[in-house]
Amino acid sequence: MLILRKRVYRSLSTEDTEKLFIAYRIIGTKWTIHILFTLSYGPKKFGEISQSIPSISEMILSKRLKDLQHHNLVKRTSLKRPTQSIYELTPKGAALATFIPCLMDWGTKN
């Protein structure tokens, strides 16, 4: 005997749709999740991030870090030498990065 379950679908409100688009605009760009994942292990210098993601160019890494700073997900702190900075997740960025292991787990199972 085959029993079908009735599924109840809820339409996304305009507000919900906008929230999804905002999130996607931030994390949907190439390399962003990689950067968030790398910084989830603690503060890193630009070169350390670059080494953790060997396929990313320095120009793209710089742009993505600036975008993440703009969205208050990453904080940049200048060191004593003007050309050196430390990047770290803000509390907002850390909250967002918590979903990455779930995504990786889903990816390996599917």
Side-chain angles (χ1 to χ4, degrees):
M1 175 172 23
L2 179 64
I3 300 173
L4 297 174
R5 292 184 184 174
K6 186 176 180 181
R7 291 187 182 206
V8 177
Y9 293 98
R10 180 176 80 88
S11 297
L12 286 174
S13 69
T14 304
E15 185 179 322
D16 289 340
T17 302
E18 186 58 31
K19 288 176 185 176
L20 284 172
F21 281 131
I22 289 169
Y24 183 74
R25 276 191 294 258
I26 295 169
I27 63 169
T29 55
K30 190 173 181 180
W31 303 115
T32 299
I33 291 178
H34 296 77
I35 296 166
L36 292 172
F37 181 72
T38 299
L39 291 176
S40 71
Y41 286 95
K44 304 230 179 318
K45 294 179 183 175
F46 184 91
E48 294 170 327
I49 301 169
S50 184
Q51 287 177 345
S52 296
I53 313 168
S55 301
I56 192 171
S57 72
E58 289 187 0
M59 182 180 79
I60 295 297
L61 176 56
S62 179
K63 177 163 179 14
R64 293 294 177 265
L65 286 168
K66 286 176 185 172
D67 291 344
L68 291 168
Q69 289 173 68
H70 173 76
H71 292 290
N72 195 31
L73 297 171
V74 169
K75 176 185 171 193
R76 177 179 179 256
T77 305
S78 295
L79 300 176
K80 291 181 182 180
R81 294 176 60 195
T83 58
Q84 283 193 336
S85 300
I86 293 281
Y87 296 90
E88 61 186 311
L89 294 178
T90 63
K92 183 178 170 183
L96 180 58
T98 60
F99 86 94
I100 297 171
C102 297
L103 237 132
M104 292 167 64
D105 187 45
W106 180 86
T108 55
K109 290 179 181 176
N110 297 295

